[in-house]
Amino acid sequence: METLFDAAIIGGGPAGLNAALVLGRARKNVILIDEGLPRNRVTHESHGFLTRDGIKPDEFRRIAVEQIRAYPSVRFSADIAVDIAGADGDFKVSAKGGDIYRAKKLLLAVGKKDRLPEIEGLTDVYGKSAFVCPYCDGWELRDRRLAVIAKGERAFHFAKTILGWSERITLCTDGPDELTDAQREELRVRGIPLFDARIRRIVSEDGLVSKVELEEGAAVACTGIFFAPTLVPGSDLPRALGCELTPTGSIAATDVLGKSSVPGVFVAGDIATELNQLIQAAAMGAMAGAGINAELLAEAWEARGRAMRS
Ligand SMILES: Cc1cc2nc3c(=O)[nH]c(=O)nc-3n(C[C@H](O)[C@H](O)[C@H](O)COP(=O)(O)OP(=O)(O)OC[C@H]3O[C@@H](n4cnc5c(N)ncnc54)[C@H](O)[C@@H]3O)c2cc1C
């Protein structure tokens, strides 16, 4: 007979993996379906995760999978979940490869995807000398001459933040800056150069940026870039399932254990927060694992009571 898993986890980044660890240790049967395209795969090193500072993303995942394999009730599927039917107690997850997995509970840990601004040369430097998060990579670019590529409120916030890592920053808005007069003035009095010309291309060698060329013929010399990507959900499944989304495309959890607005569906990691960090995603996964386990235990408790009474 087809297995009815206690939980299906969709996404095997730190959120999904930590949930699998918690559920495996709680003796639950789990299927973890993962396409294997985590957000940080372009980087050589991950930072800020206690005991793992500087680890390669692949190595982080290898250790996680090795440790989870100690709990035989967790199964892995290298596949893409493409459809979900059913409801709390019996979800049916269809994978691209043709398998269908039945599970009582669901965890959506599908992450987010970065849509890069369309700037020639950006993909050559992304993850090597151009990054999106100063907490992740600011230390490595400290005191360097940096170009900050963003517009409007995000540009203003980014400039203020990145100043904590380097005082040598230049803001390039790649077209109209979308700043207020007050923001422009705040930048000016703090000596932060602002260019609103379109960017022609980013010049680099072996992934190391040397300048940002502007349409007007000027160039901003730099050895590092921070830029603001557009973040979109890692999968359409949350929307298709009817999960409530925030204006930024995150799934709104209703409690710290990651319950979504859809019964039996839990969420964890980048898809459920604006605070995109590995340790945050892992912590949310651990909490969601505990939340799923708590629901399963409560249901088992009721079922046991009914069985004993009859
Ligand atoms: C360039 C870069 C560098 C970063 N560096 C750091 C750093 O140094 N330190 C730090 O703390 N954070 C860093 N981050 C942030 C960090 O990568 C994220 O916060 C973290 O990966 C989120 O974990 P997650 O489990 O939510 O999602 P992810 O790690 O993105 O994992 C989601 C997984 O779900 C899979 N998936 C999606 N949809 C499906 C589907 N339908 N079926 C099957 N699988 C699916 C994806 O393929 C992926 O494997 C960085 C981010 C970027 C972009």
Side-chain angles (χ1 to χ4, degrees), residues 7-27:
I9 298 174
I10 303 175
L17 289 166
N18 219 128
L21 179 62
V22 168
L23 285 165
R25 289 181 52 76
R27 311 187 67 190

Side-chain angles (χ1 to χ4, degrees), residues 96-129:
K96 195 172 178 193
D99 289 322
I100 296 177
Y101 300 101
R102 290 176 58 206
K104 295 178 190 166
K105 305 286 170 190
L106 275 185
L107 173 62
L108 301 176
V110 295
K112 288 213 180 108
K113 288 180 186 159
D114 298 273
R115 293 253 159 87
L116 271 52
E118 285 187 17
I119 298 173
E120 188 184 328
L122 182 57
T123 52
D124 298 336
V125 291
Y126 182 37
K128 300 187 183 84
S129 57

